[in-house]
Amino acid sequence: MSSLSPLPAATGAATAAFLRPSLLPPKKSASQLSAYKSRKPYSPHFARISCKTSSSDKEPNNNDQTGPTTRRDILIGMGSLYGAASSLSDPTALANPLQPPDLSKCHPAIKGDAGDTADCCPPFSDQIEFKLPSPKEPMRIRPAAHLVDKAYIDKYEKAISLMKALPDDDPRSFKNQANVHCAYCNGAYDQVGITPSVALQIHFSWIFFPFHRYYLYFFERILGKLIDDPTFALPFWNWDSPDGIRSAASLTPEAQWQSNRDVMHTQMVSGAKKRTLFFGTPLKAGDLADGNGQGTLERTPHGNLHIWVGDLTREYKEDMGNLYSAGRDPLFYCHHGNVDRMWDLWKTLGPRRTDFTDPDWLDAAFLFYDENCKLVRCKIRDSLDNEKLRTGYQSVPILWKDSKRVPKKIRNKATAATATKKKRELTDLSEFPLVLNKTISVALPRPRKNRTATEKEDEEEILVVGGIEIDRSQVIKFDVALNDDDDGAPAGPQDTEFAGAFVNVPHRQKAGASNFKTVLRLGITDLLEDLDADDDDTIVVTLVPKVGEPVIGGLKIDYLAD
Ligand code: C2O
């Protein structure tokens, strides 16, 4: 997809087959990879920030927000790094939220092997604290991209081209905005005050949703300012609706939609009953994002769609197919509009679907440039309510709330399928860790069965695929199915037996080693009921490699309270 096209979603590139197997180009040879040119020393920072808009050619008024953060504010904000020992009575003293980066220490981001880097560092300046917009500001209602009219497209196109025309020393330029993502994702920042250094990474954990909400918030306000429209709102790519997607894939539109709808149901409803399943697991200051499990939605469809619209013929799958370059495609911001909308929707889907209250989440903070070129320090706690950010979404039908999946065995019986069903051959648990280079099935004992409704509500039964080790720079995908008979093809998203998928969007965050260790956790309480397997002592877990050959450390059943 060309990053020059300002309107990818409206011009027909919007395809959504969340679980389409991809054809990978052959890997680069070692000699190709090592034949990188020697680079001149990096000099990322601009001495001075320019902030001229086309609509008013004046520098912004510095007094329109609170003044620059003082050193004292910064130290207070750094709580555990500087203040913990001095205030033992302070209940927050042990809090350890992720800190925003020190922009003056930004270094080149890592694109690939052999020191191949990307220069993504933003200019830096004094920080101010984030303030919610006035409740009197008009709401910016983000429209579904497939429903906008010509006037909106013209406006959007104009705003994007004005942003692209801003000079490189303007932190609001399209290039600098795209680089925000690159720097936060591909190792340009180390976590402040942590030795030995730990890369700052805003994916693969509970940080994912709020970081991207703020990113869009500022991106949108900059665009609005450039066209002098305080109501300007980004379009969102409504990939959870049959009308918002198109696919040239082999499936019929109906079959594609059925599969997408069922995936949405799993990722938002049945598989996301606990906070850590939906948002991802905690990440605190000093933690490496690697060991964490990403949330259902971040994995699929978010990750799958990045890969789908990335250019798989390019070495790093630019633009959308690699985290370092994803922000260069305007589609990124439409994609993340819908991702952000899912956060709001998830909270409406049932009891206990609320934001975390842990101060380590609420006080985690990031830095963004606002529409006035001010560097703003934003805490997660101010991002929880879109209405307070004066942001909302056009209301469109939600068609995935109820599951319509049918177990394969029932469907095959009904259609008198000729496939011969047989039990899958089993791999013994003692054979782990193993390289997943073919479909395998494992019989997994369940510690508890026939739990009461309350027990199930209190604790979600989860399937843990642990010790996953992959090359983080590659597209890696595998599917997971439960109690799937061998009838020729493994269960797909349209089958009840399908439990979920692992997907990695290529990225690097360090020169040298690119191995990535992670965990996949799938909520399966509802699924086991649908499969009529709730009183079984064991379940058969089938792992189906789709792209790449991950190492799998082991499997187990666990119970998750939050
Ligand atoms: Cu920061 Cu869609 O990725």
Side-chain angles (χ1 to χ4, degrees), residues 12-33:
T15 54
F18 303 156
L19 295 147
R20 181 188 74 141
S22 317
L23 292 174
L24 275 179
K27 274 196 184 180
K28 292 272 175 192
S29 70
S31 63
Q32 276 173 302
L33 288 173

Side-chain angles (χ1 to χ4, degrees), residues 181 185 202-203 208 211-212 215 298 302 306 320 323 326 332 335-336 339:
H181 198 254
C185 314
I202 46 69
H203 298 95
F208 171 78
F211 171 86
H212 290 86
Y215 187 16
E298 180 187 0
H302 164 260
H306 266 277
M320 281 285 274
L323 297 181
F332 175 95
H335 179 32
H336 273 276
V339 169

Side-chain angles (χ1 to χ4, degrees), residues 32-95:
Q32 276 173 302
L33 288 173
S34 62
Y36 78 102
K37 346 162 223 3
S38 58
R39 285 164 182 266
K40 55 177 172 4
Y42 188 63
S43 58
H45 296 128
F46 305 104
R48 159 161 201 289
I49 293 172
S50 126
C51 195
K52 301 223 160 83
T53 67
S54 55
S55 50
S56 88
D57 217 21
K58 281 188 297 212
E59 295 287 338
N61 171 5
N62 290 353
N63 299 323
D64 56 4
Q65 294 206 41
T66 49
T69 308
T70 61
R71 182 171 157 74
R72 186 178 153 272
D73 292 338
I74 293 173
L75 293 181
I76 289 171
M78 287 185 174
S80 63
L81 297 175
Y82 294 98
S86 64
S87 55
L88 292 174
S89 59
D90 177 354
T92 65
L94 292 173

Side-chain angles (χ1 to χ4, degrees), residues 516-542:
F516 182 49
K517 285 194 179 173
T518 188
V519 180
L520 173 65
R521 293 180 185 83
L522 302 171
I524 56 169
T525 303
D526 281 9
L527 183 53
L528 289 169
E529 283 177 12
D530 294 347
L531 289 171
D532 207 10
D534 202 23
D535 56 358
D536 292 357
D537 297 315
T538 55
I539 47 170
V540 174
V541 180
T542 299

